[in-house]
């Protein structure tokens, strides 16, 4: 059901399941729609957009048939979630029996590695556990494991805030963005072209000409401060309130401050080339002027991402219904010799794509979905039977054609085959039975031999009886 209109949606072709990137893909962050570039009736940028990246519009153009998209998709992501959270969601009604998308597209592992600081083994096992749950509940579904997006920096271990959306940059090349979207749609539909939109508000989701879908919520505390009512706050208190704000001037100030902070942090590594097998040094000097003072540092992120993607690719190669989608070369250029360079206009060092990066990435996804949804492989035809063999076989051929593996019985008749007695588990094995038979035969032969000897002894006694009588008579006469 569409949330803004209350109307039923078409059958879902692809479900994106994941964490922060998946939620931002739909133009949301922490459950709120934070970007909407077109909000006014005249089609101009609305006041609350404030030059934010309109990532949700890219998703609508490619994954909403109502907006002219080639496929119908849904983004199931929550900022800050890890694989354990996603697994819990699947086990608690996020995968109902009547929700059956053709493709499950998994974008997982980022927060496990860079926010929770898990090892590579734990990240891989967490992703595969989610795959196992989907295969258990939806055995006929196609599963795609998206590679971990290129990233070189860790994220804060604190809970994500609305100001973190500043890491998703606005596209500076709208022409290229539109070209990527149009190319993806053209490749999917072919020469026929995309179908016309089936309705909906051209000004985006929500009410006509009203920002944020007609919902005008206001922070009461922020309103009092704007009116000059309330106690004077320190700079830290003001920044804390701005970071926790969900809308209004406080949120705009927090986004602007976070954007400047990230730009200063990313400037030294903007042109740096990263090795896939970079060595880990647990301690590094605080500065080049104080080489004797060292501090502990975390392992480099890029080699861990590379290792995790290799293990996921190896797993998918062993399963026909699971595919690995490598997005590394979309966001990073291959410099050769196991070296890569991040494309700064496409993705941030923390693995958050820009508006242009989302357009290019989702365009490649649509191209891959075209092979599975439109160009479905037809099953091979059943082998034709030789008519001569079928005539020679007679009724047996009809029985085999039934395909149920049992004898064909007509009405009112019973099978003439006698039931075959199956051996019991208590029965001894054939070898032991043969040994017992041999022992019994040997015992019988020994008994027969003893009986023959007894008969011979009896005959000898009978033959010697007259001689013994004569000896006794002679002794009597002599006496």
């Amino acid at each position: 059901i569409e949330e803004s209109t209350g109307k039923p949606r078409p059958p879902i072709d692809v479900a994106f399941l994941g964490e922060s990137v998946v939620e931002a893909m739909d133009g949301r962050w922490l459950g709120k729609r934070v970007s909407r570039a077109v909000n006014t009736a005249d089609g101009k940028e609305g006041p609350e957009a404030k030059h934010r990246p309109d990532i949700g519009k890219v998703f609508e153009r490619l994954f909403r048939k109502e907006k002219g998209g080639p496929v119908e998709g849904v983004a199931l992501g929550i900022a800050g979630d890890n694989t354990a959270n996603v697994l819990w969601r699947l086990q608690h009604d996020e995968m109902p029996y009547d929700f059956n998308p053709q493709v499950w597209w998994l974008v997982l592992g980022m927060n496990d590695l860079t926010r929770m600081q898990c090892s590579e083994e734990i990240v891989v096992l967490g992703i595969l556990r989610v795959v196992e749950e989907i295969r258990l509940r939806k055995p006929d579904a196609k599963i795609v494991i998206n590679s971990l997006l290129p990233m070189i920096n860790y994220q804060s271990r604190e809970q994500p805030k609305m100001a973190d959306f500043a890491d998703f940059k606005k596209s500076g090349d709208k022409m290229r963005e539109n070209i990527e979207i149009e190319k993806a749609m053209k490749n999917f539909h072919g020469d026929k072209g995309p179908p016309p939109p089936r309705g909906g508000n051209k000004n985006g989701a929500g009410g006509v000409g009203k920002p944020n879908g007609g919902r005008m919520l206001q922070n009461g505390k922020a309103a009092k401060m704007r009116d000059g009512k309330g106690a004077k706050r320190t700079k830290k208190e003001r920044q804390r309130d701005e970071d926790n704000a969900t809308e209004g001037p406080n949120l705009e100030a927090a986004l602007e401050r976070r954007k400047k902070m990230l730009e200063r942090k990313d400037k030294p590594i903007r042109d740096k080339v990263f090795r896939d097998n970079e060595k880990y040094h647990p301690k590094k000097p605080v500065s080049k002027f104080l080489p004797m003072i060292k501090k502990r540092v975390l392992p480099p992120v890029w080699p861990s991402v590379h290792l995790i993607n290799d293990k996921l690719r190896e797993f998918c190669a062993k399963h026909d219904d699971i595919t690995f989608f490598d997005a590394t070369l979309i966001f990073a250029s291959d410099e050769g010799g196991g070296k890569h360079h991040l494309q700064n206009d496409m993705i941030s060092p923390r693995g958050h794509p820009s508006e242009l990066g989302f357009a290019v990435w989702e365009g490649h996804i649509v191209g891959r979905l075209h092979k599975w949804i439109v160009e479905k492989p037809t099953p091979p035809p059943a082998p034709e039977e030789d008519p001569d063999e079928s005539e020679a076989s007679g009724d047996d051929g009809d029985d085999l054609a039934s395909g149920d593996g049992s004898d064909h019985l007509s009405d009112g008749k019973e099978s003439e085959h006698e039931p075959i007695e199956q051996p019991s588990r208590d029965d001894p094995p054939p070898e032991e039975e043969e040994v017992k038979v041999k022992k019994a035969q040997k015992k019988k032969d020994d008994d027969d031999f003893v009986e023959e000897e007894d008969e011979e002894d009896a005959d000898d006694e009978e033959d010697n009886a007259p001689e013994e009588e004569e000896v006794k008579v002679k002794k009597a006469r002599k006496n």
Side-chain angles (χ1 to χ4, degrees), residues 228-433:
K229 300 176 182 179
K232 186 178 180 179
R233 298 172 298 167
T234 63
K235 183 178 180 180
K236 289 185 178 181
E237 291 177 345
R238 186 172 64 255
Q239 290 181 356
R240 185 178 64 249
D241 292 340
E242 291 174 353
D243 290 339
N244 295 327
T246 58
E247 58 187 359
N250 283 349
L251 176 59
E252 301 301 333
L255 288 170
E256 190 65 25
R257 189 179 67 255
R258 184 64 60 89
K259 182 179 179 181
K260 293 179 179 179
M261 183 194 69
L262 294 175
E263 287 179 353
R264 290 195 306 268
K265 186 177 180 181
D266 299 343
K267 187 176 181 179
I269 59 176
R270 195 162 290 169
D271 299 326
K272 189 176 178 181
V273 177
F274 300 92
R275 292 180 175 271
D276 298 342
N277 57 351
E278 183 179 352
K279 294 183 180 180
Y280 171 44
H281 301 284
K283 292 185 178 181
K284 288 186 177 182
V286 177
S287 68
K288 60 182 180 180
F289 303 106
L290 299 172
M292 301 301 295
I293 302 177
K294 296 184 178 182
K295 63 177 180 179
R296 289 187 175 273
V297 294
L298 294 171
V301 179
W302 182 271
S304 299
V305 172
H306 185 71
L307 178 60
I308 293 171
N309 289 339
D310 284 346
K311 293 300 180 182
L312 293 175
R313 184 186 293 106
E314 181 181 350
F315 172 81
C316 294
K318 300 177 182 179
H319 298 80
D320 295 335
D321 55 342
I322 305 176
T323 303
F324 180 78
F325 181 82
D326 194 355
T328 302
L329 295 181
I330 298 176
F331 300 100
S333 59
D334 190 356
E335 303 295 330
K339 300 178 182 179
H340 290 83
H341 176 260
L342 282 183
Q343 299 186 21
N344 299 303
D345 60 335
M346 301 278 289
I347 195 169
S348 74
R350 287 152 296 279
H352 292 152
S354 63
E355 188 176 352
L356 175 61
F358 272 111
V360 178
W361 178 36
E362 293 174 20
H364 282 77
I365 293 175
V366 170
R368 186 64 65 89
L369 292 174
H370 181 268
K371 298 180 181 180
W372 298 324
I373 297 177
V374 178
E375 300 176 359
K376 288 185 177 180
T378 56
E384 298 182 359
E385 295 183 358
D386 190 356
D388 298 336
E389 293 182 359
S390 60
E391 291 178 2
S393 60
D395 296 337
D396 295 339
D398 298 337
D399 296 340
L400 294 176
S402 62
D404 57 357
S406 60
D407 293 337
H408 175 73
L409 301 178
S410 60
D411 297 336
K413 293 186 179 181
E414 297 182 356
S415 175
E416 298 178 357
H417 300 290
E418 296 181 358
I420 300 175
E421 184 178 358
Q422 299 293 335
S424 174
R425 293 183 177 179
D426 299 332
D427 295 343
E431 296 180 357
E432 296 182 4
E433 187 69 23

Side-chain angles (χ1 to χ4, degrees), residues 19-21 23 28-31 77-82 85 110-111 115-116 155-168 242-246 251 258 352:
E19 43 199 32
S20 308
V21 174
E23 185 176 24
R28 295 176 291 108
W29 191 256
L30 296 179
I78 298 177
D81 270 8
N82 53 28
N85 301 132
M110 173 189 293
N111 289 332
R115 188 181 293 276
M116 307 301 296
Q155 300 183 42
S156 173
R157 300 195 67 175
E158 298 179 357
Q159 289 296 326
K161 300 177 181 178
M162 292 295 296
D164 294 335
F165 191 77
D167 201 21
F168 297 91
E242 291 174 353
D243 290 339
N244 295 327
T246 58
L251 176 59
R258 184 64 60 89
H352 292 152

Side-chain angles (χ1 to χ4, degrees), residues 118 146 176 319 462:
C118 297
N146 199 98
R176 183 184 173 189
H319 298 80
E462 291 178 359

Side-chain angles (χ1 to χ4, degrees), residues 99-143:
F99 181 64
N100 297 297
Q102 299 185 42
V103 180
W104 288 85
W105 200 286
L106 307 186
V107 187
L108 297 168
M110 173 189 293
N111 289 332
D112 297 76
L113 180 65
T114 60
R115 188 181 293 276
M116 307 301 296
Q117 300 178 8
C118 297
S119 64
E120 295 88 347
E121 294 83 359
I122 296 300
V123 176
V124 173
L125 290 175
I127 295 174
L128 298 186
R129 179 62 185 89
V130 175
V131 172
E132 181 185 15
E133 188 70 20
I134 297 176
R135 296 184 71 187
L136 178 65
R137 295 172 178 264
K138 308 291 181 182
D140 298 331
K142 176 72 176 178
I143 301 176

